[in-house]
Amino acid sequence: MSAFHDRNDQAYCEDLALSTIAKEVGTPCYVYSKSSILNQCKAILSAFSTYPTMPCYAVKANSNLSILKEIFKAGFGADIVSQGEMERALRAGVDPKKIVYSGVGKRADEIIAALRTGILAFNVESVAELELIATLAAERNLVAPVSLRVNPNIDAKTNPKITTGLFSTKFGLIESEARALAERVRQLPSLRLVGVGCHIGSQIVDVAPLAEAAVRMTQFAAGLRELGHQLEFIDLGGGVGIRYKSEVPPTMESYAQAILSAVKPTGLKLLIEPGRVVVGNAGVLLCSVLLTKRTPEKNFLIVDGAMNDLVRPTMYDSYHEIKAVKASRGPTETYDVVGPICETGDYFGKDRVLPPCAPGDLIYLASSGAYGAAMASNYNSRPRAPEVLVDGADYRVIRRRETLQDLWELEL
C-alpha cells in the first residue's frame, strides 16, 4: 500500500491524517513518508545484492539533512554536484569514501575542499577540468582519484531538459576524448584513474537505453584495461523514473538485471546514482484552497502553494496528480489549479477534475518528494514552506517555515 492513501474519506500519510499536519504546521507544506524512503532504499539494495554495488544517492533530488541521514544510515553513499551538497552529506553522516563528485563546472575552491575531504572520486567531464584537478592536487602533494564520465550519445527518451547523454548536451566526454584523457592521467602523478561512467538522463522508464549504456561502458572499460589501466569501478549513473501519471517505470529487479548482465563479467565494482526513485513518490506538497475564480473559458482553483514551491509543472510541463484531502461524493468540477504568483506560468495542473472546493479546503500534489523543496525559491518574496517527516502516526518538522524576516536577513 502506498504511504499516501485514503482512510475514512481522509487522505493519510502512513498513519497520520494530512489534515492534522495542515492544522498544526500550516500550508503550504512538504510532507514525506519515512517508511516509503526506507522501503525504496531496501528495494534497491536487495535488487543489486548479488553483485558488489554501491548506490550513491543523488543529493540534488532532495537535500534535507534529515532525509539524507535516513538514506545514508541505510547504507547509501552520495552523488554530489557542489560543495554545498558535499557539506550537507557530510553533516548527515555519509562516509567520505562513498562520495562521487559530478558536474561540468567544479570551481577550484570546491575541488580543493573535496580533495581535503578525501572523496571516492571526481567524475571528470572535460579536458580543462582534468588539468585543473591535477594542478590543485599537485600543489598540495595529494593524489586525486578521478573517473571519466563518458557521453555515449544515447537517447534516454525523456524530457529534453533532463536528457544528459547526447552530444547536444553539456555533459561528459566523447569516447575518443576520454581514451586520450586516460593516457594523459599516466603523465600526471597527482591523478589516479579509478573508474569510468556515464549518466544518460533522468525520469527514464524504459530500461533499454540503460542496458545499452551499460554495454557501452563495459566495452570502454575493457579497452582501458587492455591498455594497462587499473580501474576499480564502473559508474552507470541514475535516472530511473517514477510514476507521475500513467508511466510504468521498471522495477528495481528489472533495472538491476538490465545493467548487471553487462557489468558482471568485468568484475569491477558498480556504482549507481538513484535520486528521484528514492524520494519522488515519498513526498507530497500540501496546500490550502484560497478561492475559486471563474472566467468565460476557465474555472481556476487558487491555492496557497505556488511555482516557487514546486516549479516542475512550469519548468518541465510535468504532471503531478492533484487530490482533495477530504473525499467528496458530490459532483465534480474542472479546474486549472494555480498559485498566487504574478506569472501566467504559475500553475500546478490544467483541466483537472476535482470535487467542488471552498476556501480552506485542502488539496495535495503527489510525487513531490524529488525536486520540490530542493528547487524551491523565494520568488515574489514568498517564504519557503516547511518540510515534515512522518513516521507512523507521528511527525516532526525537519525544516521550519521561513519567516518574512528570513527573506532579507542576508541583505545589506
Side-chain angles (χ1 to χ4, degrees):
M1 182 175 67
S2 170
F4 295 92
H5 57 276
D6 291 338
R7 186 188 305 175
N8 301 323
D9 294 331
Q10 289 274 347
Y12 276 69
C13 176
E14 299 189 18
D15 294 318
L16 183 66
L18 291 180
S19 57
T20 299
I21 297 173
K23 181 179 179 180
E24 298 179 3
V25 180
T27 59
C29 175
Y30 305 98
V31 180
Y32 309 122
S33 162
K34 178 179 176 180
S35 68
S36 181
I37 294 168
L38 295 182
N39 286 341
Q40 280 298 92
C41 290
K42 291 176 184 176
I44 293 168
L45 292 170
S46 175
F48 286 90
S49 62
T50 61
Y51 190 79
T53 303
M54 184 170 76
C56 293
Y57 170 70
V59 174
K60 62 181 175 288
N62 185 318
S63 57
N64 184 283
L65 290 176
S66 293
I67 301 294
L68 295 179
K69 183 175 289 188
E70 297 295 339
I71 293 171
F72 298 149
K73 282 196 301 184
F76 281 46
D79 165 50
I80 64 165
V81 293
S82 72
Q83 183 181 355
E85 288 189 351
M86 182 180 74
E87 296 300 334
R88 279 183 173 274
L90 292 170
R91 278 180 170 269
V94 77
D95 180 348
K97 290 299 182 184
K98 289 185 175 182
I99 296 177
V100 289
Y101 195 162
S102 305
V104 301
K106 306 176 185 74
R107 300 192 313 265
D109 60 307
E110 294 180 308
I111 293 169
I112 292 167
L115 284 169
R116 289 173 173 164
T117 298
I119 65 172
L120 175 65
F122 295 91
N123 280 334
V124 172
E125 306 207 28
S126 68
V127 176
E129 182 190 340
L130 185 87
E131 297 293 343
L132 177 59
I133 293 172
T135 298
L136 294 173
E139 291 172 351
R140 289 156 183 80
N141 295 315
L142 296 172
V143 177
V146 296
S147 174
L148 302 177
R149 175 174 172 175
V150 175
N151 184 328
N153 200 34
I154 292 174
D155 187 356
K157 298 180 175 61
T158 186
N159 188 298
K161 291 184 178 180
I162 51 177
T163 292
T164 59
L166 294 174
F167 288 161
S168 57
T169 70
K170 64 183 179 180
F171 298 97
L173 303 152
I174 62 173
E175 288 190 23
S176 60
E177 188 179 35
R179 194 173 294 108
L181 280 190
E183 292 303 302
R184 175 65 174 147
V185 171
R186 293 187 196 271
Q187 304 166 6
L188 297 167
S190 61
L191 297 182
R192 178 167 59 94
L193 181 60
V194 293
V196 297
C198 70
H199 188 297
I200 63 172
S202 187
Q203 185 52 19
I204 301 170
V205 294
D206 179 1
V207 297
L210 295 167
E212 182 183 355
V215 170
R216 292 274 293 277
M217 285 302 95
T218 55
Q219 291 173 342
F220 181 72
L224 292 186
R225 294 171 92 182
E226 288 174 2
L227 295 173
H229 295 285
Q230 302 297 312
L231 301 179
E232 298 174 13
F233 64 78
I234 292 178
D235 184 345
L236 290 179
V240 175
I242 63 173
R243 182 188 179 277
Y244 285 100
K245 186 178 182 182
S246 56
E247 305 93 333
V248 183
T251 63
M252 290 302 98
E253 290 76 16
S254 62
Y255 167 47
Q257 184 178 5
I259 63 177
L260 285 180
S261 58
V263 174
K264 279 183 177 180
T266 70
L268 294 171
K269 186 175 184 177
L270 172 64
L271 269 60
I272 55 173
E273 300 167 358
R276 184 194 314 263
V277 74
V278 177
V279 294
N281 279 327
V284 303
L285 177 63
L286 182 61
C287 302
S288 294
V289 173
L290 297 178
L291 53 93
T292 57
K293 178 179 178 179
R294 303 181 189 278
T295 75
E297 293 188 11
K298 289 279 189 179
N299 295 330
F300 292 98
L301 186 69
I302 303 172
V303 300
D304 59 358
M307 61 184 280
N308 74 296
D309 303 303
L310 184 66
V311 75
R312 295 190 71 255
T314 300
M315 180 176 286
Y316 305 119
D317 196 27
S318 61
Y319 181 95
H320 287 262
E321 191 171 8
I322 302 174
K323 293 186 175 182
V325 168
K326 184 177 181 180
S328 172
R329 294 179 174 82
T332 59
E333 292 197 66
T334 300
Y335 299 100
D336 279 12
V337 182
V338 302
I341 279 180
C342 192
E343 296 268 359
T344 302
D346 177 28
Y347 66 90
F348 288 145
K350 297 182 178 181
D351 297 321
R352 299 300 183 88
V353 177
L354 292 165
C357 293
D361 288 347
L362 300 171
I363 59 121
Y364 69 90
L365 281 76
S367 309
S368 300
Y371 307 108
M375 296 179 75
S377 75
N378 293 123
Y379 187 44
N380 278 195
S381 288
R382 287 170 53 87
R384 282 183 290 178
E387 297 172 83
V388 168
L389 183 62
V390 175
D391 185 4
D394 299 318
Y395 76 89
R396 62 188 179 92
V397 176
I398 58 175
R399 190 180 195 278
R400 67 167 174 82
R401 186 181 303 280
E402 288 182 344
T403 65
L404 290 176
Q405 185 171 339
D406 289 330
L407 296 179
W408 52 80
E409 191 68 28
L410 301 179
E411 298 175 21
L412 302 180

